[in-house]
C-alpha cells in the first residue's frame, strides 16, 4: 500500500497485527519468538495508538459532531485494537494485559 499518511500506515500495521494474532491464536503462542509472543504483539498494537483510552472515551461521547479527520483519529484505534479481542486470553497478567482490557472496554464506544 503506497503512501506514508496515517491511513496507509494504519492499514499496514493492522495487517501485520491481524496476521500475527491469527498465527498465535491458531498455532499457539511462542514466548521465545517476538513475532508470536502474544504479550509483544499486544505491546506493538498498544504502541501505535496515539490516544489514551480515557481521551478516546471522551471523544467518542460526541464523535458525531467531530470533523472527519477527528473521527478518523477514533477509527484508527478501533481498527488497530480489533486483534486484542483474539489475543486477550493469551496475555499474561500485567501492564500489557491491563492496557488491553482498558482499550477493549472503550473499543465498542468508538465509531
Amino acid at each position: 500500500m503506497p503512501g506514508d499518511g496515517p491511513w496507509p500506515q494504519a492499514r499496514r500495521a493492522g495487517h501485520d497485527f491481524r496476521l500475527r494474532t491469527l498465527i498465535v491464536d491458531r498455532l499457539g503462542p511462542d514466548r521465545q519468538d517476538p513475532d508470536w509472543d502474544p504479550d509483544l504483539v499486544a505491546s506493538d498494537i498498544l504502541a501505535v495508538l496515539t490516544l489514551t483510552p480515557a481521551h478516546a472515551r471522551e471523544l467518542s461521547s460526541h464523535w458525531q459532531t467531530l470533523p472527519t479527520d477527528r473521527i478518523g483519529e477514533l477509527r484508527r484505534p478501533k481498527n488497530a485494537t480489533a486483534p486484542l479481542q483474539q489475543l486477550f486470553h493469551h496475555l499474561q497478567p500485567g501492564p500489557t494485559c491491563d492496557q488491553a482490557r482498558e482499550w477493549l472496554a472503550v473499543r465498542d464506544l468508538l465509531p
Side-chain angles (χ1 to χ4, degrees):
M1 288 172 266
D4 285 329
W7 285 109
Q9 288 177 358
R11 275 192 295 275
R12 282 191 297 272
H15 287 300
D16 176 64
F17 300 146
R18 284 188 295 280
L19 174 63
R20 291 168 68 196
T21 297
L22 179 72
I23 302 253
V24 166
D25 200 44
R26 298 270 170 93
L27 301 178
D30 180 353
R31 299 205 184 272
Q32 304 305 311
D33 187 327
D35 289 329
W36 318 126
D37 181 334
D39 292 293
L40 294 178
V41 176
S43 290
D44 290 346
I45 292 169
L46 295 168
V48 301
L49 302 175
T50 58
L51 298 172
T52 64
H55 191 211
R57 181 185 301 277
E58 189 272 321
L59 288 173
S60 72
S61 69
H62 61 279
W63 72 265
Q64 298 91 339
T65 65
L66 297 173
T68 304
D69 60 324
R70 294 294 300 217
I71 294 170
E73 289 179 40
L74 293 172
R75 288 294 304 162
R76 286 188 291 275
K78 183 170 188 165
N79 294 338
T81 56
L84 289 177
Q85 293 175 311
Q86 270 183 289
L87 272 181
F88 192 75
H89 69 279
H90 293 290
L91 299 179
Q92 298 291 320
T96 299
C97 185
D98 295 342
Q99 284 182 302
R101 183 180 295 109
E102 280 185 79
W103 270 107
L104 290 173
V106 171
R107 188 175 184 280
D108 290 336
L109 303 175
L110 302 176

